[in-house]
Amino acid sequence: MSLPAAKSPYVGYRFPAEVISQAVWLYFRFPLSLRMVEEMMAARCIVVSHETVRQWALKFGQEFANRIWRRLPRTGDKWHLDEVAIRIAGIQHWLWRAVDQTGLVLDVLVQSRRDKQAAKRLLRKLLKRQCRAPRVMVTDKLPSYRAAKREVMPGVEHRQHKGLNNRAENSHQPTRRRDRRVKRFKSPRQAQRFLSAHSQIASLFHLRRDHVTAIEYRAVRARAFEMWADTSGVAAAA
């Protein structure tokens, strides 16, 4: 007896899967506002409102990100942690981010504080998601990391040095670019929801150009697009 085919997530939508997938990809992949995505779709003779794009992003963004997470290679055993200030509705918050030694984003967490409790919350969230502790943890010299690690991961090697943590600091750049070019986040919940999806979609297209030929780079990029098509269900719906 054959198993029933999985129900398409696009059932009931007026637009085809290819259009919805493209709009969601544009919104999360590049520092574009909803109205910018609307205009780019209009350039392809696809009339869709920015509010519809917003609903698509809410519906499919995290779902696609979760699928990508399950398909990406196993993360490394060296974690780089960093925090950066962001303003949400005029109030300063902190975006905590963790990446491995290859630059793959492990997780992000928006918090209002930059103390030991905030660092502990990040470490516990990482352990729950990764299901294992790292071999090495690299941070800047913020004392909160050392205090939190002592309680949550006492046996892990901890290196604190500003110059060693460029990997995590560089990972903040896409968020900074978006913050400059697009309207700021309106609430911590909105920021967390967007950045959680954005980090995984960005990881899929985290394609390094250094030390590879143009042919090799295009091959890696083609595989990323293939995974996106499979993840978003476009390949199955085509």
Side-chain angles (χ1 to χ4, degrees), residues 59-89:
K59 167 67 176 178
F60 297 105
Q62 190 59 54
E63 182 179 341
F64 293 166
N66 292 340
R67 294 178 186 176
I68 290 171
W69 172 257
R70 291 191 291 266
R71 293 166 181 259
L72 287 174
R74 181 178 172 85
T75 56
D77 60 357
K78 187 177 182 180
W79 296 358
H80 294 255
L81 280 61
D82 192 51
E83 75 293 336
V84 64
I86 58 174
R87 297 197 72 80
I88 302 175

PDB file of all heavy atoms in Angstrom, residues 59-89:
ATOM      1  N   LYS A  59       4.184  33.098   7.123  1.00  0.00           N
ATOM      2  CA  LYS A  59       3.712  31.725   6.968  1.00  0.00           C
ATOM      3  C   LYS A  59       4.846  30.758   6.648  1.00  0.00           C
ATOM      4  O   LYS A  59       4.944  29.674   7.220  1.00  0.00           O
ATOM      5  CB  LYS A  59       2.659  31.681   5.860  1.00  0.00           C
ATOM      6  CG  LYS A  59       2.283  30.289   5.370  1.00  0.00           C
ATOM      7  CD  LYS A  59       1.567  29.458   6.408  1.00  0.00           C
ATOM      8  CE  LYS A  59       1.137  28.113   5.828  1.00  0.00           C
ATOM      9  NZ  LYS A  59       0.477  27.261   6.821  1.00  0.00           N
ATOM     10  N   PHE A  60       5.731  31.147   5.725  1.00  0.00           N
ATOM     11  CA  PHE A  60       6.698  30.196   5.187  1.00  0.00           C
ATOM     12  C   PHE A  60       8.142  30.413   5.658  1.00  0.00           C
ATOM     13  O   PHE A  60       8.949  29.491   5.559  1.00  0.00           O
ATOM     14  CB  PHE A  60       6.678  30.255   3.657  1.00  0.00           C
ATOM     15  CG  PHE A  60       5.372  29.850   3.051  1.00  0.00           C
ATOM     16  CD1 PHE A  60       4.507  30.790   2.521  1.00  0.00           C
ATOM     17  CD2 PHE A  60       4.993  28.511   3.018  1.00  0.00           C
ATOM     18  CE1 PHE A  60       3.297  30.412   1.953  1.00  0.00           C
ATOM     19  CE2 PHE A  60       3.787  28.124   2.454  1.00  0.00           C
ATOM     20  CZ  PHE A  60       2.930  29.083   1.925  1.00  0.00           C
ATOM     21  N   GLY A  61       8.470  31.606   6.147  1.00  0.00           N
ATOM     22  CA  GLY A  61       9.863  31.904   6.473  1.00  0.00           C
ATOM     23  C   GLY A  61      10.487  30.933   7.450  1.00  0.00           C
ATOM     24  O   GLY A  61      11.508  30.299   7.162  1.00  0.00           O
ATOM     25  N   GLN A  62       9.883  30.787   8.623  1.00  0.00           N
ATOM     26  CA  GLN A  62      10.453  29.904   9.640  1.00  0.00           C
ATOM     27  C   GLN A  62      10.341  28.438   9.233  1.00  0.00           C
ATOM     28  O   GLN A  62      11.216  27.625   9.552  1.00  0.00           O
ATOM     29  CB  GLN A  62       9.769  30.128  10.983  1.00  0.00           C
ATOM     30  CG  GLN A  62      10.450  29.439  12.153  1.00  0.00           C
ATOM     31  CD  GLN A  62      11.886  29.891  12.317  1.00  0.00           C
ATOM     32  OE1 GLN A  62      12.157  31.098  12.414  1.00  0.00           O
ATOM     33  NE2 GLN A  62      12.826  28.959  12.351  1.00  0.00           N
ATOM     34  N   GLU A  63       9.272  28.101   8.535  1.00  0.00           N
ATOM     35  CA  GLU A  63       9.101  26.719   8.073  1.00  0.00           C
ATOM     36  C   GLU A  63      10.235  26.320   7.129  1.00  0.00           C
ATOM     37  O   GLU A  63      10.818  25.241   7.260  1.00  0.00           O
ATOM     38  CB  GLU A  63       7.750  26.578   7.364  1.00  0.00           C
ATOM     39  CG  GLU A  63       7.444  25.176   6.894  1.00  0.00           C
ATOM     40  CD  GLU A  63       6.082  25.065   6.227  1.00  0.00           C
ATOM     41  OE1 GLU A  63       5.233  25.954   6.437  1.00  0.00           O
ATOM     42  OE2 GLU A  63       5.872  24.078   5.477  1.00  0.00           O
ATOM     43  N   PHE A  64      10.556  27.197   6.179  1.00  0.00           N
ATOM     44  CA  PHE A  64      11.665  26.917   5.262  1.00  0.00           C
ATOM     45  C   PHE A  64      12.987  26.881   6.020  1.00  0.00           C
ATOM     46  O   PHE A  64      13.857  26.046   5.748  1.00  0.00           O
ATOM     47  CB  PHE A  64      11.724  27.977   4.163  1.00  0.00           C
ATOM     48  CG  PHE A  64      10.557  27.945   3.213  1.00  0.00           C
ATOM     49  CD1 PHE A  64      10.318  29.007   2.348  1.00  0.00           C
ATOM     50  CD2 PHE A  64       9.692  26.869   3.173  1.00  0.00           C
ATOM     51  CE1 PHE A  64       9.247  28.988   1.470  1.00  0.00           C
ATOM     52  CE2 PHE A  64       8.609  26.837   2.297  1.00  0.00           C
ATOM     53  CZ  PHE A  64       8.394  27.907   1.445  1.00  0.00           C
ATOM     54  N   ALA A  65      13.155  27.808   6.978  1.00  0.00           N
ATOM     55  CA  ALA A  65      14.401  27.864   7.752  1.00  0.00           C
ATOM     56  C   ALA A  65      14.618  26.576   8.525  1.00  0.00           C
ATOM     57  O   ALA A  65      15.740  26.065   8.611  1.00  0.00           O
ATOM     58  CB  ALA A  65      14.367  29.059   8.704  1.00  0.00           C
ATOM     59  N   ASN A  66      13.556  26.014   9.105  1.00  0.00           N
ATOM     60  CA  ASN A  66      13.678  24.763   9.853  1.00  0.00           C
ATOM     61  C   ASN A  66      14.090  23.615   8.933  1.00  0.00           C
ATOM     62  O   ASN A  66      14.885  22.743   9.323  1.00  0.00           O
ATOM     63  CB  ASN A  66      12.354  24.435  10.540  1.00  0.00           C
ATOM     64  CG  ASN A  66      12.024  25.410  11.655  1.00  0.00           C
ATOM     65  OD1 ASN A  66      12.896  26.098  12.172  1.00  0.00           O
ATOM     66  ND2 ASN A  66      10.758  25.480  12.021  1.00  0.00           N
ATOM     67  N   ARG A  67      13.540  23.589   7.738  1.00  0.00           N
ATOM     68  CA  ARG A  67      13.907  22.539   6.786  1.00  0.00           C
ATOM     69  C   ARG A  67      15.371  22.675   6.374  1.00  0.00           C
ATOM     70  O   ARG A  67      16.085  21.672   6.249  1.00  0.00           O
ATOM     71  CB  ARG A  67      13.010  22.621   5.553  1.00  0.00           C
ATOM     72  CG  ARG A  67      11.552  22.298   5.817  1.00  0.00           C
ATOM     73  CD  ARG A  67      10.740  22.443   4.544  1.00  0.00           C
ATOM     74  NE  ARG A  67       9.312  22.280   4.778  1.00  0.00           N
ATOM     75  CZ  ARG A  67       8.383  22.427   3.850  1.00  0.00           C
ATOM     76  NH1 ARG A  67       8.740  22.737   2.602  1.00  0.00           N
ATOM     77  NH2 ARG A  67       7.103  22.271   4.140  1.00  0.00           N
ATOM     78  N   ILE A  68      15.815  23.899   6.156  1.00  0.00           N
ATOM     79  CA  ILE A  68      17.213  24.132   5.786  1.00  0.00           C
ATOM     80  C   ILE A  68      18.136  23.663   6.910  1.00  0.00           C
ATOM     81  O   ILE A  68      19.173  23.028   6.671  1.00  0.00           O
ATOM     82  CB  ILE A  68      17.443  25.622   5.482  1.00  0.00           C
ATOM     83  CG1 ILE A  68      16.749  26.007   4.166  1.00  0.00           C
ATOM     84  CG2 ILE A  68      18.940  25.941   5.395  1.00  0.00           C
ATOM     85  CD1 ILE A  68      16.733  27.490   3.900  1.00  0.00           C
ATOM     86  N   TRP A  69      17.767  23.981   8.157  1.00  0.00           N
ATOM     87  CA  TRP A  69      18.586  23.586   9.309  1.00  0.00           C
ATOM     88  C   TRP A  69      18.813  22.080   9.342  1.00  0.00           C
ATOM     89  O   TRP A  69      19.906  21.604   9.645  1.00  0.00           O
ATOM     90  CB  TRP A  69      17.918  24.057  10.596  1.00  0.00           C
ATOM     91  CG  TRP A  69      18.574  23.550  11.838  1.00  0.00           C
ATOM     92  CD1 TRP A  69      18.160  22.545  12.647  1.00  0.00           C
ATOM     93  CD2 TRP A  69      19.801  24.020  12.418  1.00  0.00           C
ATOM     94  NE1 TRP A  69      19.030  22.355  13.689  1.00  0.00           N
ATOM     95  CE2 TRP A  69      20.047  23.248  13.570  1.00  0.00           C
ATOM     96  CE3 TRP A  69      20.702  25.025  12.070  1.00  0.00           C
ATOM     97  CZ2 TRP A  69      21.154  23.445  14.377  1.00  0.00           C
ATOM     98  CZ3 TRP A  69      21.819  25.224  12.873  1.00  0.00           C
ATOM     99  CH2 TRP A  69      22.032  24.437  14.010  1.00  0.00           C
ATOM    100  N   ARG A  70      17.772  21.325   9.026  1.00  0.00           N
ATOM    101  CA  ARG A  70      17.889  19.870   9.062  1.00  0.00           C
ATOM    102  C   ARG A  70      18.733  19.326   7.913  1.00  0.00           C
ATOM    103  O   ARG A  70      19.249  18.206   8.000  1.00  0.00           O
ATOM    104  CB  ARG A  70      16.489  19.243   9.023  1.00  0.00           C
ATOM    105  CG  ARG A  70      15.679  19.474  10.288  1.00  0.00           C
ATOM    106  CD  ARG A  70      14.426  18.624  10.322  1.00  0.00           C
ATOM    107  NE  ARG A  70      13.447  19.033   9.335  1.00  0.00           N
ATOM    108  CZ  ARG A  70      12.454  19.880   9.579  1.00  0.00           C
ATOM    109  NH1 ARG A  70      12.317  20.408  10.784  1.00  0.00           N
ATOM    110  NH2 ARG A  70      11.580  20.184   8.632  1.00  0.00           N
ATOM    111  N   ARG A  71      18.904  20.110   6.856  1.00  0.00           N
ATOM    112  CA  ARG A  71      19.630  19.635   5.682  1.00  0.00           C
ATOM    113  C   ARG A  71      21.070  20.126   5.618  1.00  0.00           C
ATOM    114  O   ARG A  71      21.882  19.553   4.882  1.00  0.00           O
ATOM    115  CB  ARG A  71      18.909  20.092   4.406  1.00  0.00           C
ATOM    116  CG  ARG A  71      17.544  19.443   4.210  1.00  0.00           C
ATOM    117  CD  ARG A  71      16.750  20.184   3.144  1.00  0.00           C
ATOM    118  NE  ARG A  71      15.439  19.600   2.960  1.00  0.00           N
ATOM    119  CZ  ARG A  71      15.108  18.789   1.972  1.00  0.00           C
ATOM    120  NH1 ARG A  71      16.007  18.465   1.069  1.00  0.00           N
ATOM    121  NH2 ARG A  71      13.887  18.301   1.875  1.00  0.00           N
ATOM    122  N   LEU A  72      21.399  21.181   6.356  1.00  0.00           N
ATOM    123  CA  LEU A  72      22.746  21.709   6.313  1.00  0.00           C
ATOM    124  C   LEU A  72      23.733  20.729   6.954  1.00  0.00           C
ATOM    125  O   LEU A  72      23.343  19.900   7.783  1.00  0.00           O
ATOM    126  CB  LEU A  72      22.807  23.060   7.033  1.00  0.00           C
ATOM    127  CG  LEU A  72      22.171  24.249   6.305  1.00  0.00           C
ATOM    128  CD1 LEU A  72      22.183  25.483   7.202  1.00  0.00           C
ATOM    129  CD2 LEU A  72      22.893  24.545   4.987  1.00  0.00           C
ATOM    130  N   PRO A  73      25.020  20.817   6.595  1.00  0.00           N
ATOM    131  CA  PRO A  73      26.023  19.919   7.195  1.00  0.00           C
ATOM    132  C   PRO A  73      26.092  20.080   8.716  1.00  0.00           C
ATOM    133  O   PRO A  73      25.687  21.117   9.251  1.00  0.00           O
ATOM    134  CB  PRO A  73      27.335  20.379   6.529  1.00  0.00           C
ATOM    135  CG  PRO A  73      26.924  21.092   5.290  1.00  0.00           C
ATOM    136  CD  PRO A  73      25.604  21.720   5.584  1.00  0.00           C
ATOM    137  N   ARG A  74      26.592  19.074   9.379  1.00  0.00           N
ATOM    138  CA  ARG A  74      26.735  19.109  10.839  1.00  0.00           C
ATOM    139  C   ARG A  74      27.606  20.295  11.238  1.00  0.00           C
ATOM    140  O   ARG A  74      28.655  20.542  10.640  1.00  0.00           O
ATOM    141  CB  ARG A  74      27.365  17.805  11.329  1.00  0.00           C
ATOM    142  CG  ARG A  74      27.547  17.727  12.850  1.00  0.00           C
ATOM    143  CD  ARG A  74      28.126  16.379  13.212  1.00  0.00           C
ATOM    144  NE  ARG A  74      28.505  16.285  14.606  1.00  0.00           N
ATOM    145  CZ  ARG A  74      27.682  15.966  15.596  1.00  0.00           C
ATOM    146  NH1 ARG A  74      26.412  15.718  15.337  1.00  0.00           N
ATOM    147  NH2 ARG A  74      28.117  15.890  16.853  1.00  0.00           N
ATOM    148  N   THR A  75      27.182  21.014  12.233  1.00  0.00           N
ATOM    149  CA  THR A  75      27.919  22.199  12.661  1.00  0.00           C
ATOM    150  C   THR A  75      29.230  21.819  13.330  1.00  0.00           C
ATOM    151  O   THR A  75      29.398  20.704  13.819  1.00  0.00           O
ATOM    152  CB  THR A  75      27.066  23.032  13.641  1.00  0.00           C
ATOM    153  OG1 THR A  75      26.662  22.211  14.742  1.00  0.00           O
ATOM    154  CG2 THR A  75      25.826  23.575  12.940  1.00  0.00           C
ATOM    155  N   GLY A  76      30.150  22.781  13.371  1.00  0.00           N
ATOM    156  CA  GLY A  76      31.462  22.535  13.940  1.00  0.00           C
ATOM    157  C   GLY A  76      31.453  22.530  15.466  1.00  0.00           C
ATOM    158  O   GLY A  76      30.443  22.835  16.111  1.00  0.00           O
ATOM    159  N   ASP A  77      32.597  22.195  16.038  1.00  0.00           N
ATOM    160  CA  ASP A  77      32.696  22.075  17.498  1.00  0.00           C
ATOM    161  C   ASP A  77      33.362  23.283  18.141  1.00  0.00           C
ATOM    162  O   ASP A  77      33.734  23.248  19.316  1.00  0.00           O
ATOM    163  CB  ASP A  77      33.468  20.808  17.869  1.00  0.00           C
ATOM    164  CG  ASP A  77      34.887  20.811  17.307  1.00  0.00           C
ATOM    165  OD1 ASP A  77      35.257  21.763  16.579  1.00  0.00           O
ATOM    166  OD2 ASP A  77      35.624  19.845  17.584  1.00  0.00           O
ATOM    167  N   LYS A  78      33.520  24.353  17.372  1.00  0.00           N
ATOM    168  CA  LYS A  78      34.090  25.587  17.908  1.00  0.00           C
ATOM    169  C   LYS A  78      33.062  26.696  17.741  1.00  0.00           C
ATOM    170  O   LYS A  78      32.706  27.064  16.624  1.00  0.00           O
ATOM    171  CB  LYS A  78      35.385  25.931  17.154  1.00  0.00           C
ATOM    172  CG  LYS A  78      36.161  27.108  17.731  1.00  0.00           C
ATOM    173  CD  LYS A  78      37.457  27.311  16.959  1.00  0.00           C
ATOM    174  CE  LYS A  78      38.287  28.437  17.528  1.00  0.00           C
ATOM    175  NZ  LYS A  78      39.549  28.634  16.757  1.00  0.00           N
ATOM    176  N   TRP A  79      32.575  27.209  18.851  1.00  0.00           N
ATOM    177  CA  TRP A  79      31.515  28.210  18.814  1.00  0.00           C
ATOM    178  C   TRP A  79      32.077  29.604  19.050  1.00  0.00           C
ATOM    179  O   TRP A  79      32.830  29.831  19.989  1.00  0.00           O
ATOM    180  CB  TRP A  79      30.461  27.923  19.884  1.00  0.00           C
ATOM    181  CG  TRP A  79      29.710  26.642  19.692  1.00  0.00           C
ATOM    182  CD1 TRP A  79      29.847  25.747  18.664  1.00  0.00           C
ATOM    183  CD2 TRP A  79      28.716  26.096  20.564  1.00  0.00           C
ATOM    184  NE1 TRP A  79      28.991  24.693  18.832  1.00  0.00           N
ATOM    185  CE2 TRP A  79      28.284  24.874  19.987  1.00  0.00           C
ATOM    186  CE3 TRP A  79      28.137  26.519  21.760  1.00  0.00           C
ATOM    187  CZ2 TRP A  79      27.306  24.076  20.595  1.00  0.00           C
ATOM    188  CZ3 TRP A  79      27.167  25.731  22.356  1.00  0.00           C
ATOM    189  CH2 TRP A  79      26.755  24.525  21.768  1.00  0.00           C
ATOM    190  N   HIS A  80      31.689  30.537  18.192  1.00  0.00           N
ATOM    191  CA  HIS A  80      32.027  31.953  18.350  1.00  0.00           C
ATOM    192  C   HIS A  80      30.759  32.693  18.760  1.00  0.00           C
ATOM    193  O   HIS A  80      29.759  32.652  18.039  1.00  0.00           O
ATOM    194  CB  HIS A  80      32.566  32.528  17.048  1.00  0.00           C
ATOM    195  CG  HIS A  80      33.878  31.945  16.618  1.00  0.00           C
ATOM    196  ND1 HIS A  80      35.076  32.621  16.744  1.00  0.00           N
ATOM    197  CD2 HIS A  80      34.180  30.740  16.066  1.00  0.00           C
ATOM    198  CE1 HIS A  80      36.057  31.862  16.287  1.00  0.00           C
ATOM    199  NE2 HIS A  80      35.542  30.717  15.869  1.00  0.00           N
ATOM    200  N   LEU A  81      30.794  33.370  19.895  1.00  0.00           N
ATOM    201  CA  LEU A  81      29.628  34.087  20.404  1.00  0.00           C
ATOM    202  C   LEU A  81      29.909  35.585  20.443  1.00  0.00           C
ATOM    203  O   LEU A  81      31.023  36.010  20.769  1.00  0.00           O
ATOM    204  CB  LEU A  81      29.270  33.609  21.818  1.00  0.00           C
ATOM    205  CG  LEU A  81      28.476  32.309  21.967  1.00  0.00           C
ATOM    206  CD1 LEU A  81      29.225  31.115  21.381  1.00  0.00           C
ATOM    207  CD2 LEU A  81      28.148  32.052  23.426  1.00  0.00           C
ATOM    208  N   ASP A  82      28.894  36.353  20.115  1.00  0.00           N
ATOM    209  CA  ASP A  82      29.049  37.806  20.145  1.00  0.00           C
ATOM    210  C   ASP A  82      27.682  38.449  20.323  1.00  0.00           C
ATOM    211  O   ASP A  82      26.652  37.830  20.034  1.00  0.00           O
ATOM    212  CB  ASP A  82      29.702  38.309  18.854  1.00  0.00           C
ATOM    213  CG  ASP A  82      30.143  39.754  18.960  1.00  0.00           C
ATOM    214  OD1 ASP A  82      30.840  40.088  19.939  1.00  0.00           O
ATOM    215  OD2 ASP A  82      29.787  40.559  18.080  1.00  0.00           O
ATOM    216  N   GLU A  83      27.677  39.687  20.790  1.00  0.00           N
ATOM    217  CA  GLU A  83      26.438  40.431  20.968  1.00  0.00           C
ATOM    218  C   GLU A  83      26.619  41.834  20.389  1.00  0.00           C
ATOM    219  O   GLU A  83      27.709  42.401  20.427  1.00  0.00           O
ATOM    220  CB  GLU A  83      26.035  40.492  22.450  1.00  0.00           C
ATOM    221  CG  GLU A  83      26.838  41.434  23.324  1.00  0.00           C
ATOM    222  CD  GLU A  83      28.296  41.033  23.512  1.00  0.00           C
ATOM    223  OE1 GLU A  83      28.614  39.829  23.369  1.00  0.00           O
ATOM    224  OE2 GLU A  83      29.118  41.925  23.788  1.00  0.00           O
ATOM    225  N   VAL A  84      25.550  42.365  19.815  1.00  0.00           N
ATOM    226  CA  VAL A  84      25.608  43.685  19.210  1.00  0.00           C
ATOM    227  C   VAL A  84      24.342  44.443  19.589  1.00  0.00           C
ATOM    228  O   VAL A  84      23.264  43.852  19.710  1.00  0.00           O
ATOM    229  CB  VAL A  84      25.739  43.584  17.665  1.00  0.00           C
ATOM    230  CG1 VAL A  84      24.520  42.935  17.041  1.00  0.00           C
ATOM    231  CG2 VAL A  84      25.993  44.950  17.043  1.00  0.00           C
ATOM    232  N   ALA A  85      24.473  45.752  19.782  1.00  0.00           N
ATOM    233  CA  ALA A  85      23.325  46.572  20.169  1.00  0.00           C
ATOM    234  C   ALA A  85      22.456  46.861  18.948  1.00  0.00           C
ATOM    235  O   ALA A  85      22.959  47.182  17.872  1.00  0.00           O
ATOM    236  CB  ALA A  85      23.801  47.879  20.794  1.00  0.00           C
ATOM    237  N   ILE A  86      21.153  46.735  19.122  1.00  0.00           N
ATOM    238  CA  ILE A  86      20.192  47.119  18.094  1.00  0.00           C
ATOM    239  C   ILE A  86      19.080  47.915  18.771  1.00  0.00           C
ATOM    240  O   ILE A  86      18.774  47.690  19.939  1.00  0.00           O
ATOM    241  CB  ILE A  86      19.586  45.904  17.354  1.00  0.00           C
ATOM    242  CG1 ILE A  86      18.889  44.947  18.325  1.00  0.00           C
ATOM    243  CG2 ILE A  86      20.651  45.169  16.562  1.00  0.00           C
ATOM    244  CD1 ILE A  86      18.148  43.810  17.646  1.00  0.00           C
ATOM    245  N   ARG A  87      18.501  48.865  18.037  1.00  0.00           N
ATOM    246  CA  ARG A  87      17.424  49.678  18.586  1.00  0.00           C
ATOM    247  C   ARG A  87      16.092  49.183  18.041  1.00  0.00           C
ATOM    248  O   ARG A  87      15.916  49.048  16.829  1.00  0.00           O
ATOM    249  CB  ARG A  87      17.627  51.157  18.261  1.00  0.00           C
ATOM    250  CG  ARG A  87      18.902  51.725  18.882  1.00  0.00           C
ATOM    251  CD  ARG A  87      18.876  53.240  18.909  1.00  0.00           C
ATOM    252  NE  ARG A  87      17.938  53.766  19.895  1.00  0.00           N
ATOM    253  CZ  ARG A  87      18.184  53.870  21.204  1.00  0.00           C
ATOM    254  NH1 ARG A  87      19.353  53.459  21.687  1.00  0.00           N
ATOM    255  NH2 ARG A  87      17.280  54.361  22.016  1.00  0.00           N
ATOM    256  N   ILE A  88      15.179  48.906  18.945  1.00  0.00           N
ATOM    257  CA  ILE A  88      13.848  48.429  18.588  1.00  0.00           C
ATOM    258  C   ILE A  88      12.835  49.370  19.222  1.00  0.00           C
ATOM    259  O   ILE A  88      12.785  49.485  20.452  1.00  0.00           O
ATOM    260  CB  ILE A  88      13.609  46.982  19.067  1.00  0.00           C
ATOM    261  CG1 ILE A  88      14.663  46.037  18.469  1.00  0.00           C
ATOM    262  CG2 ILE A  88      12.212  46.520  18.722  1.00  0.00           C
ATOM    263  CD1 ILE A  88      14.574  44.614  18.983  1.00  0.00           C
ATOM    264  N   ALA A  89      12.068  50.059  18.380  1.00  0.00           N
ATOM    265  CA  ALA A  89      11.088  51.042  18.857  1.00  0.00           C
ATOM    266  C   ALA A  89      11.744  52.083  19.764  1.00  0.00           C
ATOM    267  O   ALA A  89      11.179  52.502  20.776  1.00  0.00           O
ATOM    268  CB  ALA A  89       9.931  50.351  19.574  1.00  0.00           C
TER     269      ALA A  89
END
